[in-house]
Amino acid sequence: MTEGHAYNFAYLDEQTKRMIRRAILKGIAIPGYQVPFASREMPMPYGWGTGGVQVTAACLVPEDRLKVIDQGADDTTNAVSIRKFFQRTAGVEVTEHTCDASVIQTRHRIPEATLIPGQILVYQVPIPEPLRFLEPRETETRKMHELEEYGLMHVKLYEDIARHGQIATSYAYPVKVEGRYVMDPSPIPKFDNPKLSGSAAIQLFGAGREQRIYALPPYTEVVSLDFDDHPFQPTKAPHACDLCGAGESYLDEVITDDVGTRMFVCSDTDFCVVRREAGHEGRLAHQSAHEVMA
Amino acid sequence: MTPHSPFTDQPLLQVQGLSKAYGTRVGCADVSFDLFPGEVLGIVGESGSGKSTLLTAIAGHHAPDRGQLTYDGRDVLAMGETDRRRLMRTEWAFVHQNPRDGLRMGVSAGGNIGERLMAVGARHYGHIRSMATDWMGRVEISADRIDDRPSAFSGGMQQRLQLARNLVTAPRLVLMDEPTGGLDVSVQARLLDLLRGLVRDLGLSVIIVTHDLAVVRLLADRLMVMKSGRVVEQGLTDQVLDDPQHAYTQLLVSSVLQV
């Protein structure tokens, strides 16, 4: 395909973007409420972020600078392909730096750097309905949202404690938005849940296959559900990053040989790079990749 | 938990002229009765006589065509859905014939009992857990089964678990649809014994639908006999069973197999 005007700006036609923007505005007006929208077929399979891509496409303007991350990293397949998609179809600038981006599309993470006013964070959502696995009937879950019947959500947490001695749900941890709607924050680790609340950025959630959009306007109160005697606790691996030495960032565990040696590195690659450039060093900072993997 | 004081003059539930038709077929027609606090009302009749239609109409599973339903001075049919559903999970309870309809099969026994508590706002795991343990004991299920799923339970245990799940929020009115159906005789006897004890201890008002006359003989204070959607006879249980007036009731009573 040639560069240039083969596509409308940001792939989608203007009427589709208009429809999606209306859904986004409605979502922002009712924080946490799942707004149905007429999801389009995108040139990528369901599960690769078709919802997030449509939301991003509807938000993008030519002046935007886009960052795309997958599990915190800028250089993974999903992130690279979506970034290239928008470079080709919208011609917008791209960046890997969280603080330089105006629109950030993410899968499974919230960046470590604090988001600032004016930024838009777009989440890719596989299953928008937090009650799905507890109550399979969609008609019934809608009724439960309507009538604020959220006792069932606590049954799930009860089961966790009964079976594992603690709330073992570690990602897609259910939250309550502004004391009203219970929302699935997409499969972000529960470590990121506190960052949902009071964020200065607009947070948009797009589920393509399920045809739902929901949103958190800036400075929305988001509370993770818990029990009085088993309060919510964000968790991470009890280590520091082996490359940049950060002790408070979310870590990926990387197995480096076949005898169980492992290293922990920041899942947010931009955060890690910025720290290393500023001179921070972790345990394995001076070994080359070859030595680490040897 | 204090039992609600039974035996007052005010009926807890008043049903007036309740009718439900399925197209041209009659579900139940013009049914009226009063249920007083602490009273157990049995509804018997053959299959298709409209007894389940009546019960599910009272429970709000479908809307009746005509009639009035007054609970504790409130018009139930005029209530908003929010209030109606709140009533269903606090002061009312519905025991299904098949425990699979009334239980969450993928959730542990403790979670099943705790669900109604959490639905009305309980947020302390320890308290929910101890309430669940307490109720496991009251329905004679060993406390070490609390983390097992109902699918690992026998039919009788599932039915007792369903009872516990419904009674944990101390409802005032319990609707039961054939609670002993599908259980073998010895398990039935044990369940009935348990039911009788609980009804008495908690001062429950119960409407129990069954085709088993032995069940109502044992449990019910009053009896209503239905045929083709209409009530053909009602009165004190012993009176109706020992001295049936209506031809259909006479047939029903004489059809019981003697051992």
Side-chain angles (χ1 to χ4, degrees):
Chain A
M1 197 90 40
T2 51
E3 295 290 318
H5 303 288
Y7 295 104
N8 187 34
F9 176 75
Y11 186 76
L12 292 175
D13 62 277
E14 293 303 317
Q15 285 305 312
T16 299
K17 286 198 225 169
R18 187 160 173 251
M19 173 271 295
I20 295 172
R21 286 173 192 148
R22 289 170 73 106
I24 291 173
L25 287 175
K26 186 168 180 181
I28 287 177
I30 318 171
Y33 170 71
Q34 300 167 43
V35 185
F37 79 111
S39 177
R40 300 291 193 249
E41 291 244 5
M42 297 303 282
M44 63 186 69
Y46 289 127
W48 284 43
T50 53
V53 164
Q54 289 179 74
V55 171
T56 303
C59 290
L60 276 183
V61 292
E63 299 76 39
D64 268 325
R65 196 176 286 132
L66 179 69
K67 170 182 164 82
V68 185
I69 49 175
D70 170 9
Q71 306 271 10
D74 291 275
D75 51 4
T76 45
T77 316
N78 197 246
V80 170
S81 64
I82 292 174
R83 188 163 55 231
K84 282 181 106 170
F85 175 77
F86 281 116
Q87 268 181 303
R88 174 179 286 187
T89 60
V92 291
E93 275 188 74
V94 295
T95 179
E96 296 195 353
H97 292 304
T98 304
C99 50
D100 293 341
S102 56
V103 177
I104 304 170
Q105 181 169 335
T106 177
R107 172 176 178 264
H108 297 194
R109 272 312 306 278
I110 298 176
E112 302 287 352
T114 308
L115 300 176
I116 52 174
Q119 286 186 316
I120 299 176
L121 184 61
V122 179
Y123 296 78
Q124 300 170 200
V125 182
I127 294 169
E129 178 52 72
L131 302 161
R132 172 69 51 86
F133 294 108
L134 303 158
E135 175 54 68
R137 288 169 294 176
E138 184 77 18
T139 47
E140 183 67 15
T141 55
R142 275 188 225 173
K143 184 95 355 188
M144 290 160 82
H145 282 294
E146 178 190 338
L147 303 176
E148 279 188 79
E149 286 182 7
Y150 291 129
L152 200 51
M153 209 69 247
H154 274 86
V155 173
K156 176 183 153 69
L157 301 180
Y158 169 94
E159 288 291 286
D160 262 7
I161 302 173
R163 220 165 281 162
H164 306 289
Q166 56 177 333
I167 299 178
T169 303
S170 56
Y171 65 95
Y173 192 102
V175 294
K176 195 163 205 180
V177 180
E178 286 289 338
R180 178 60 181 85
Y181 284 99
V182 165
M183 184 187 96
D184 184 329
S186 88
I188 58 171
K190 67 176 168 183
F191 174 82
D192 282 342
N193 268 23
K195 289 187 243 168
L196 289 164
S197 189
S199 171
I202 297 176
Q203 301 176 76
L204 305 176
F205 299 77
R209 185 191 54 211
E210 303 274 334
Q211 313 199 323
R212 292 289 183 279
I213 285 173
Y214 49 104
L216 297 174
Y219 308 110
T220 304
E221 185 198 24
V222 180
V223 178
S224 304
L225 299 181
D226 58 5
F227 284 105
D228 295 345
D229 48 346
H230 284 83
F232 169 78
Q233 277 174 332
T235 52
K236 67 182 279 282
H239 297 273
C241 173
D242 284 333
L243 296 179
C244 76
E248 70 289 352
S249 70
Y250 194 73
L251 300 174
D252 285 340
E253 184 177 12
V254 184
I255 292 171
T256 51
D257 59 21
D258 57 1
V259 290
T261 313
R262 56 201 60 200
M263 66 186 290
F264 290 88
V265 292
C266 293
S267 94
D268 186 337
T269 49
D270 172 55
F271 177 78
C272 200
V273 168
V274 168
R275 273 180 59 88
R276 272 182 284 162
E277 282 170 357
H280 295 280
E281 287 178 354
R283 186 172 63 92
L284 303 173
H286 291 291
Q287 292 181 27
S288 67
H290 184 75
E291 283 171 325
V292 172
M293 300 300 279
Chain B
M1 203 181 311
T2 51
H4 309 286
S5 72
F7 313 121
T8 56
D9 295 339
Q10 277 300 314
L12 186 68
L13 183 77
Q14 275 181 299
V15 178
Q16 278 158 354
L18 203 73
S19 301
K20 169 76 185 175
Y22 300 105
T24 53
R25 265 176 255 274
V26 177
C28 62
D30 202 22
V31 178
S32 302
F33 64 88
D34 288 348
L35 183 74
F36 289 86
E39 184 181 42
V40 180
L41 174 70
I43 303 176
V44 295
E46 61 193 4
S47 297
S49 60
K51 49 195 195 317
S52 286
T53 299
L54 174 63
L55 195 73
T56 47
I58 294 171
H61 296 181
H62 55 76
D65 301 328
R66 274 185 309 285
Q68 270 211 316
L69 201 56
T70 315
Y71 169 75
D72 207 11
R74 286 181 283 171
D75 184 349
V76 177
L77 298 177
M79 269 183 197
E81 195 169 8
T82 318
D83 292 337
R84 186 85 194 253
R85 284 173 71 124
R86 184 170 302 131
L87 196 65
M88 266 325 284
R89 59 173 194 261
T90 52
E91 296 189 23
W92 290 23
F94 194 97
V95 178
H96 292 263
Q97 172 175 8
N98 187 342
R100 281 162 196 277
D101 297 335
L103 292 172
R104 290 195 188 275
M105 299 306 281
V107 168
S108 71
N112 263 294
I113 299 177
E115 182 179 343
R116 270 173 80 108
L117 293 171
M118 290 182 252
V120 296
R123 293 291 179 264
H124 192 284
Y125 176 82
H127 294 168
I128 295 166
R129 185 95 177 157
S130 60
M131 282 283 267
T133 314
D134 178 41
W135 270 98
M136 298 278 287
R138 288 167 92 155
V139 296
E140 299 166 15
I141 301 175
S142 151
D144 60 7
R145 302 295 302 268
I146 190 167
D147 291 331
D148 292 351
R149 293 184 179 187
S151 46
F153 286 6
S154 68
M157 280 168 79
Q158 286 180 0
Q159 197 56 283
R160 276 179 278 143
L161 182 63
Q162 195 194 175
L163 272 180
R165 169 186 161 88
N166 276 293
L167 297 182
V168 67
T169 48
R172 298 171 69 188
L173 174 63
V174 185
L175 309 173
M176 297 188 191
D177 190 6
E178 307 263 11
T180 57
L183 300 177
D184 69 55
V185 188
S186 59
V187 177
Q188 251 189 48
R190 199 159 151 221
L191 186 72
L192 285 173
D193 205 34
L194 178 74
L195 261 177
R196 200 155 56 152
L198 288 173
V199 165
R200 200 145 302 161
D201 293 347
L202 303 172
L204 300 173
S205 302
V206 181
I207 300 177
I208 183 165
V209 159
T210 180
H211 55 250
D212 190 339
L213 292 182
V215 170
V216 287
R217 171 79 89 176
L218 211 58
L219 280 180
D221 304 314
R222 265 190 324 129
L223 191 59
M224 240 165 67
V225 184
M226 289 184 73
K227 174 158 172 43
S228 311
R230 293 181 181 279
V231 178
V232 293
E233 185 165 357
Q234 57 178 319
L236 296 174
T237 304
D238 291 344
Q239 180 192 332
V240 173
L241 291 182
D242 294 341
D243 183 19
Q245 300 295 310
H246 191 273
Y248 174 70
T249 317
Q250 291 169 356
L251 178 72
L252 200 67
V253 172
S254 63
S255 312
V256 176
L257 293 176
Q258 300 295 327
V259 184

